[in-house]
């Protein structure tokens, strides 16, 4: 499994590197993260516009605010998860932390052997979730007053010190790296759950 993780990490290095923003003659605020497809969101099925369907039940479909927040949030979680899988499978662990035989069984082992630490982290996650979803307004209905993904956690004040163009560049890099990480984690879960679903893992002799 270590060989597979390291190979996958090396193979995806380009995907996890900050992506240069294409030159444009419009305002830097027009940067969307979809420069490769003309700057417009890639949504051939119109999922991002379903909230506009007339005659549907009120609030049946989420507003783009909610979808953008969800993508950024799950991308961040996937990046942390990928880093955690790579680190633990490489033998890196926090001193004194429970150690599982396999990353896919680590969560129940942690909860069982260190319920206090598990509870603290779970509580912090709940607080962050509440802050991201409802504290600044109901983004499911498009009533949020904050920028999707902005948790106000910038204790170094980098967003104010750096040029706006550079801040936007980092935002797009985070968005794209998060998408790559979600695909990577989905492949790992598929590999563990469905034998043969990720052929490259079989070629590398992962288990």
């Amino acid at each position: 499994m270590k060989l597979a993780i390291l190979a996958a990490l090396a193979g995806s290095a380009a995907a996890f590197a900050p992506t240069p923003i294409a030159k444009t003659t419009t305002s830097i605020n027009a940067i969307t993260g979809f420069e490769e497809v003309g700057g417009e969101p890639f949504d051939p099925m119109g999922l991002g516009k379903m909230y506009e369907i007339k005659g549907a039940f009120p609030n049946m479909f989420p507003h783009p605010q909610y979808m953008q927040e969800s993508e950024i949030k799950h991308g961040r979680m996937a990046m942390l998860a990928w880093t955690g899988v790579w680190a633990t499978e490489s033998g890196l662990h926090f001193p004194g932390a429970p150690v599982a035989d396999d990353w896919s069984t680590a969560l129940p082992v942690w909860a069982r052997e260190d319920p206090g630490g598990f509870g603290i982290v779970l509580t912090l996650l709940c607080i962050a979730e509440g802050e991201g979803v409802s504290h600044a307004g109901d983004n499911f209905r498009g009533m949020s007053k904050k920028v999707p993904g902005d948790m106000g956690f910038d204790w170094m004040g980098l967003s104010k010190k750096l040029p706006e163009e550079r801040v936007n560049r980092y935002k797009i890099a985070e968005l794209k790296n998060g998408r790559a990480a979600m695909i990577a984690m989905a492949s790992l879960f598929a590999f563990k759950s469905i034998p043969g679903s990720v052929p490259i893992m079989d070629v590398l002799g992962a288990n």
Side-chain angles (χ1 to χ4, degrees):
M1 184 63 181
K2 292 181 180 180
L3 176 61
I5 294 294
L6 291 174
L9 181 65
S12 61
F16 280 79
T19 306
I21 298 300
K23 292 183 179 180
T24 176
T25 57
T26 58
S27 168
I28 56 177
N29 292 323
I31 295 173
T32 63
F34 295 92
E35 281 64 37
E36 295 84 354
V37 289
E40 294 295 328
F42 181 72
D43 186 16
M45 298 180 65
L47 299 178
K49 298 181 179 180
M50 292 181 69
Y51 75 102
E52 298 177 347
I53 296 177
K54 298 184 181 300
F57 288 108
N59 307 316
M60 182 176 182
F61 300 109
H63 190 275
Q65 280 187 349
Y66 178 86
M67 301 177 76
Q68 292 170 4
E69 179 84 25
S70 297
E71 180 181 30
I72 295 171
K73 177 172 58 180
H74 288 96
R76 290 169 178 170
M77 291 190 291
M79 287 188 283
L80 288 172
W82 173 259
T83 303
V85 171
W86 173 82
T88 55
E89 289 294 328
S90 300
L92 302 176
H93 303 279
F94 288 110
V99 178
D101 295 332
D102 187 84
W103 67 268
S104 61
T105 61
L107 186 63
V109 170
W110 179 29
R112 182 176 63 252
E113 298 186 9
D114 183 20
F118 179 81
I120 291 174
V121 171
L122 184 61
T123 300
L124 293 175
L125 289 175
C126 291
I127 294 174
E129 177 71 8
E131 169 67 19
V133 174
S134 61
H135 180 70
D138 186 359
N139 55 20
F140 194 91
R141 294 185 294 169
M143 299 174 64
S144 178
K145 299 178 182 179
K146 75 179 186 69
V147 177
D150 184 5
M151 301 293 291
F153 184 72
D154 184 18
W155 57 277
M156 296 181 66
L158 295 178
S159 61
K160 297 180 180 179
K161 298 177 182 178
L162 298 175
E164 185 178 2
E165 183 177 5
R166 192 171 180 183
V167 171
N168 279 326
R169 179 173 180 268
Y170 286 146
K171 287 181 179 180
I172 300 305
E174 179 189 38
L175 184 63
K176 292 182 177 180
N177 294 337
R179 291 168 181 166
M182 286 188 281
I183 294 173
M185 286 308 301
S187 69
L188 288 182
F189 277 106
F191 167 70
K192 282 291 185 179
S193 305
I194 309 173
S197 60
V198 187
I200 186 63
M201 294 296 198
D202 297 327
V203 173
L204 296 173
N207 52 43

